[in-house]
Amino acid sequence: MPLLDHSSGSPSVHAPADTPLERTLREQQTLLDNAGAGIAFIRQQQVVRCNRRYAEIFGYASPEALVGQHSESFYPDASDFRELGRAAYPVVSTGQTFRVERILRRCDGTVFWGRLSGSLINPKDTAEGSIWIVDDIDAQKNAQVRLDAAIWEKQILLDNAMVGIVYLRDRRLTRCNRHFEQMLGYEPGELEGCASRQWMPSDQAWEDVGQRCYEPISRGLTFEGELTLSRKDGSPVLCEVRCKAIDPSDLGLGTIWICMDITERRRAQSELIKVHAELETLVAQRTQELSETVDSLHREIDDRKLDQERIYWLAHYDALTGLPNRTLLAERSSHAIEQARQDQTPISVIFLDLDHFKHVNDSLGHRVGDALLVQIARRLRAVVREKDTVCRLGGDEFILLLPGANAKGAARVAGKLLEASRQPYQIDHHELTMAPSMGIAVYPDDGANFETLSQSADVAMYRAKQGGRNTYRFFTPEMQAHSVRALQLENALRRALERGQFSLHYQPQVCIATQQVMGVEALLRWKHPELGTVSPAEFIPIAEDCGQILPIGEWVLRTALEQLKRWHDQGLILPSMSVNLSAVQFRQPRLPELIARILAGAGLPPGALELELTEGVAMDDPRMAIDTMDQLHALGVQLSIDDFGTGYSSLSQLKRFPIGKLKIDQSFVRDLDEDANDRAIVSAIIRMAQALGMQTIAEGVETRGQFEFLRDQGCNQAQGYYCGHPQAAEQLQIYLQACRKAQQGGNAPGQRGTQTSHPFTAFLR
């Protein structure tokens, strides 16, 4: 047990002054403090005492800071500590000193190389502890690693050099690399110790080399030159040689020579000299060709630049009008919205669609239509500011991006566009007027990004079309709600057919003269489990826009004709089944073949089907309409014009259509009892139909007065609540059976030999 206080290292205050023991302890402490190595006394794996150098090595401020420190903390981890113990114990337990070099750990966690020497204080009693001496050899280790690496790198360089390397002392070879031996044709080690004279061609050459290289070498310079050496077989080797003293201050240490075989190079140079003259001639000939090639390359570079510019233009501009396309619009809109967000300024977006542009293409051809679009694009660009963007989306749709423009500014631009559209366009000999419908959305109220803004402007544009075209509308939340409703209906429509949500109701069409049912019209009904009953006036246009009208329309045709066939099989003979055909259905390819297949599948003659077409279907593309109608007429299908008088019928076209019946729109029938103008229009339609050899049927007949007026004017048939409500097939079947019994008894249902009762009371539910 040490007699010194571990904390201060000074003698105990109770020891007698200047005793031999105290002097011995002081001497021992002085020795520890001034030792160059770290020394520590370890007992039970803890530091009992150490000198200052030991604390410095492990990064502690003082030896006292280490007292009680566990020995394991001086090693990278516990496994290293245990491994050292297993290695040291067999040595120190025999009284010997254990020595080893290991990685140790400082108090800050850094590791270093240390040399350890350890021995037991008393091998017979290990409990007395041990003494460990530590040297920090990290710098030595690192230096040794660098030295070993340098030696290894030098040997690798020597072994793999592509030149001969020779060390000479007193003009005798002390060392050379394998390349030098191979270059001269010797086996490994065969040249070791021999005089340099052995690879010189003669004594004179050997002496001459010695004289030439001595002077620069003695001054510490490098000798450079070309020497002819001799291979083992006597053949000459022309070498490029460099030589330098290993130490210019002590030439006795010898020289190093680097030799490169340039025999083949010189041979090649000789060959080059021979062909040089030929090359000069060829160069002269090729100079002109190269000059022409350079000119061609310059032209190609210019062409490529033009191509790149053209590619960029095609990627960002509309090829027909030269206006920015969707890609460039997206880039500009993104920048404009970011700028508007920072500056707190508005942006207006105008979605513009040309009214009835399709008529131009259909009637005058696409060449005229394209020329018209080019002129329209120029006029649009002339109206707006330089910083505004006019983009052609495709077809006859345009978008205008107006940075900084509020609602008032957008309205002013829209007004200018309407004013500009009133001036006719001259295309060849055609003078054309093209009106726009426009929707306006304003950032940020109508959308925080361009996609939302353009969608809002698109919704407003459609509202402008619904409002009569040739005008503009601002986007409103109500429009958004309508748009959301339309999207909701569109999504629901896509699954409605397969989920069996559709049904058909049938409304009687009655002969006015005989008061007999001549047919029924199939009316589509949609009842959604969540949306409830949806009006056809609401969902039919959506079905037309999203393409669902084709499968739905085909289902209506099949279902209606199959129902008519079931009635026929039950002896309830109805002359015809009327089915409305939308414009989208009418324009689908091979419509007559589809109708023929459905009729054949139902087992009905073509005359049992009457297709009701709107005026717009017939008038949008008269040539196509005539061709399709002729095919249907040839098939035997009856055709009628629905809602006659509400469209823009051309009588010159109408007389060419194989139409058998005109359906007078209910807007003219509704006020027949009060409005003389409606009575005049209905009378004129009936007279015109009679003159053209067509039947007439009035829809929306709700009163006896209306019915009698139509009868007096010679209208053939009537349809409406006065004649019967639309009903499901099961309900209508009851009445048809009653009709058959009444006809067999000589009276129509509701008649009892007089005209005082309502002739169609069986239909009133």
Side-chain angles (χ1 to χ4, degrees):
M1 187 70 165
L3 297 179
L4 294 179
D5 187 285
H6 292 165
S7 61
S8 64
S10 60
S12 172
V13 296
H14 300 294
D18 217 17
T19 65
L21 176 60
E22 185 173 339
R23 285 196 299 273
T24 301
L25 291 174
R26 280 202 307 271
E27 291 170 357
Q28 184 186 54
Q29 187 64 42
T30 301
L31 179 63
L32 287 173
D33 290 343
N34 292 277
I39 303 172
F41 295 91
I42 307 297
R43 183 180 298 135
Q44 294 181 352
Q45 298 184 353
Q46 290 184 346
V47 176
V48 175
R49 187 160 56 120
C50 69
N51 67 350
R52 184 168 301 279
R53 177 57 183 158
Y54 192 88
E56 290 173 354
I57 289 175
F58 285 98
Y60 289 87
S62 65
E64 291 76 17
L66 276 159
V67 174
Q69 186 73 26
H70 198 281
S71 301
E72 183 181 318
S73 65
F74 304 137
Y75 299 89
D77 52 47
S79 61
D80 286 339
F81 174 68
R82 289 192 294 270
E83 182 183 344
L84 177 69
R86 288 192 294 270
Y89 183 77
V91 177
V92 299
S93 62
T94 61
Q96 302 179 58
T97 300
F98 174 74
R99 295 180 176 84
V100 70
E101 292 180 358
R102 294 189 68 85
I103 295 289
L104 302 177
R105 179 179 177 275
R106 305 187 203 275
C107 66
D108 62 2
T110 59
V111 296
F112 66 98
W113 275 97
R115 182 182 293 114
L116 297 176
S117 298
S119 58
L120 294 174
I121 296 175
N122 183 1
K124 295 180 179 180
D125 184 5
T126 58
E128 293 186 19
S130 59
I131 298 176
W132 289 87
I133 301 173
V134 180
D135 284 329
D136 185 345
I137 61 170
D138 200 56
Q140 299 174 26
K141 274 288 186 180
N142 291 334
Q144 184 63 43
V145 169
R146 290 193 296 272
L147 177 61
D148 292 343
I151 294 173
W152 179 80
E153 290 171 359
K154 178 181 177 182
Q155 188 61 44
I156 290 295
L157 179 63
L158 190 66
D159 292 342
N160 294 278
M162 300 304 292
V163 295
I165 302 175
V166 182
Y167 292 88
L168 297 180
R169 182 180 297 171
D170 296 331
R171 303 190 76 178
R172 286 188 173 275
L173 185 145
T174 59
R175 187 180 181 192
C176 72
N177 67 349
R178 181 61 185 141
H179 187 83
F180 184 75
E181 294 171 333
Q182 291 173 339
M183 187 174 67
L184 298 184
Y186 288 92
E187 295 298 323
E190 192 174 352
L191 289 173
E192 188 172 348
C194 67
S196 59
R197 167 65 184 84
Q198 185 167 334
W199 54 82
M200 298 302 294
S202 63
D203 292 340
Q204 182 61 41
W206 187 53
E207 293 295 339
D208 181 61
V209 169
Q211 294 175 3
R212 288 169 56 195
C213 70
Y214 178 77
E215 192 273 334
I217 289 176
S218 63
R219 292 192 297 117
L221 302 177
T222 299
F223 168 75
E224 297 182 5
E226 292 184 2
L227 299 178
T228 299
L229 306 183
S230 178
R231 292 192 180 92
K232 183 177 181 179
D233 60 7
S235 59
V237 181
L238 183 62
C239 293
E240 185 177 83
V241 175
R242 292 187 179 189
C243 172
K244 190 173 184 179
I246 295 174
D247 184 355
S249 63
D250 186 1
L251 296 181
L253 296 177
T255 56
I256 179 172
W257 294 70
I258 299 176
C259 307
M260 179 183 293
D261 185 351
I262 60 171
T263 304
E264 292 301 322
R265 186 202 300 174
R266 285 289 179 261
R267 186 178 296 113
Q269 289 175 347
S270 177
E271 292 295 328
L272 287 173
I273 292 173
K274 292 180 182 179
V275 301
H276 181 69
E278 298 176 7
L279 287 176
E280 287 185 345
T281 303
L282 289 174
V283 167
Q285 294 174 353
R286 294 288 292 171
T287 299
Q288 182 62 32
E289 297 176 8
L290 289 173
S291 178
E292 295 174 357
T293 301
V294 169
D295 292 339
S296 177
L297 287 173
H298 283 303
R299 287 193 298 271
E300 184 177 349
I301 291 172
D302 292 339
D303 291 342
R304 288 190 178 182
K305 288 181 179 178
L306 292 174
D307 289 342
Q308 291 175 349
E309 293 173 358
R310 178 64 176 168
I311 291 170
Y312 177 86
W313 191 90
L314 290 174
H316 292 81
Y317 291 87
D318 176 52
L320 176 63
T321 63
L323 294 176
N325 61 11
R326 291 176 185 269
T327 302
L328 186 54
L329 176 66
E331 295 176 4
R332 291 185 179 179
S333 62
S334 176
H335 175 74
I337 289 177
E338 181 61 31
Q339 192 66 42
R341 185 179 292 113
Q342 294 176 6
D343 300 342
Q344 298 295 304
T345 55
I347 298 174
S348 289
V349 173
I350 299 179
F351 198 112
L352 184 149
D353 182 88
L354 301 175
D355 298 334
H356 302 298
F357 178 78
K358 184 176 183 298
H359 292 172
V360 176
N361 280 337
D362 292 344
S363 58
L364 302 179
H366 287 278
R367 185 187 65 81
V368 174
D370 288 349
L372 177 59
L373 285 172
V374 171
Q375 290 197 23
I376 289 172
R378 291 174 185 165
R379 196 172 292 184
L380 292 176
R381 197 67 194 89
V383 170
V384 300
R385 303 165 299 179
E386 184 65 30
K387 66 179 182 178
D388 298 332
T389 296
V390 180
C391 164
R392 182 189 178 211
L393 294 181
D396 60 340
E397 292 182 337
F398 299 84
I399 277 190
L400 284 73
L401 178 69
L402 312 177
N406 56 17
K408 184 177 179 181
R412 186 166 54 251
V413 172
K416 290 182 179 179
L417 293 172
L418 290 174
E419 182 65 29
S421 69
R422 295 189 180 98
Q423 299 298 320
Y425 298 91
Q426 191 67 41
I427 310 294
D428 296 337
H429 61 280
H430 304 289
E431 187 174 83
L432 305 172
T433 301
M434 188 57 56
S437 293
M438 292 172 283
I440 303 173
V442 181
Y443 171 88
D445 296 339
D446 300 332
N449 54 62
F450 184 73
E451 182 179 0
T452 305
L453 282 173
S454 61
Q455 289 175 352
S456 299
D458 189 14
V459 169
M461 184 273 294
Y462 276 104
R463 185 57 60 91
K465 283 189 176 293
Q466 294 171 358
R469 304 176 185 268
N470 193 20
T471 185
Y472 64 86
R473 291 286 186 272
F474 279 93
F475 177 78
T476 64
E478 291 76 17
M479 293 181 187
Q480 178 64 27
H482 178 77
S483 178
V484 170
R485 168 73 173 177
L487 180 60
Q488 186 180 25
L489 290 178
E490 179 180 337
N491 291 332
L493 272 173
R494 298 185 184 279
R495 305 296 296 276
L497 189 60
E498 66 180 74
R499 291 174 176 173
Q501 296 171 0
F502 290 119
S503 63
L504 291 183
H505 281 197
Y506 302 90
Q507 187 170 30
Q509 296 174 330
V510 175
C511 174
I512 295 178
T514 65
Q515 299 182 7
Q516 292 182 349
V517 178
M518 302 303 296
V520 293
E521 179 182 2
L523 300 174
L524 182 60
R525 297 291 183 262
W526 179 24
K527 187 173 183 180
H528 190 273
E530 296 174 1
L531 303 176
T533 300
V534 185
S535 168
E538 184 179 17
F539 74 78
I540 290 296
I542 296 173
E544 290 179 334
D545 289 340
C546 70
Q548 291 299 307
I549 194 65
L550 294 179
I552 293 173
E554 184 174 341
W555 177 86
V556 170
L557 281 167
R558 292 186 187 278
T559 304
L561 291 176
E562 288 171 359
Q563 181 60 56
L564 181 62
K565 178 65 164 109
R566 283 194 291 272
W567 284 332
H568 284 188
D569 292 342
Q570 295 169 8
L572 304 175
I573 305 302
L574 286 173
S576 67
M577 172 70 72
S578 294
V579 177
N580 280 286
L581 207 61
S582 74
V584 177
Q585 288 176 276
F586 185 75
R587 296 190 190 103
Q588 67 177 308
R590 308 178 70 85
L591 174 65
E593 290 87 338
L594 175 63
I595 298 294
R597 287 199 304 272
I598 294 175
L599 283 166
L604 291 171
L609 174 63
E610 180 177 275
L611 295 176
E612 295 188 6
L613 312 173
T614 63
E615 291 179 80
V617 168
M619 301 308 167
D620 283 348
D621 189 348
R623 286 178 293 182
M624 184 277 290
I626 291 172
D627 181 61
T628 303
M629 289 183 187
D630 285 343
Q631 293 183 56
L632 292 170
H633 182 69
L635 188 64
V637 175
Q638 301 179 64
L639 301 175
S640 65
I641 294 294
D642 190 18
D643 302 333
F644 186 79
T646 61
Y648 300 91
S649 301
S650 169
L651 298 181
S652 63
Q653 296 291 349
L654 183 61
K655 70 180 182 179
R656 300 171 55 195
F657 296 149
I659 299 298
K661 186 186 298 182
L662 296 181
K663 195 169 197 178
I664 303 171
D665 188 69
Q666 60 182 336
S667 61
F668 303 121
V669 177
R670 185 180 303 114
D671 297 325
L672 280 178
D673 294 335
E674 296 89 11
D675 195 322
N677 290 329
D678 283 343
R679 289 196 294 272
I681 291 173
V682 170
S683 295
I685 293 173
I686 294 171
R687 299 291 176 269
M688 181 192 68
Q690 290 171 344
L692 293 174
M694 298 180 185
Q695 295 276 312
T696 52
I697 179 171
E699 65 177 354
V701 180
E702 297 182 353
T703 68
R704 182 170 184 169
Q706 295 167 352
F707 184 83
E708 291 179 349
F709 175 82
L710 292 168
R711 180 193 61 199
D712 294 342
Q713 296 301 312
C715 184
N716 302 104
Q717 296 181 26
Q719 178 180 344
Y721 287 176
Y722 183 75
C723 305
H725 288 252
Q727 301 180 40
E730 296 79 7
Q731 295 173 311
L732 184 60
Q733 182 172 325
I734 297 172
Y735 178 72
L736 293 177
Q737 290 170 345
C739 281
R740 182 176 61 180
K741 292 179 181 179
Q743 289 171 3
Q744 292 171 352
N747 292 316
Q751 290 182 279
R752 303 190 185 279
T754 70
Q755 292 293 330
T756 58
S757 61
H758 195 297
F760 310 108
T761 53
F763 278 122
L764 298 178
R765 297 287 186 261

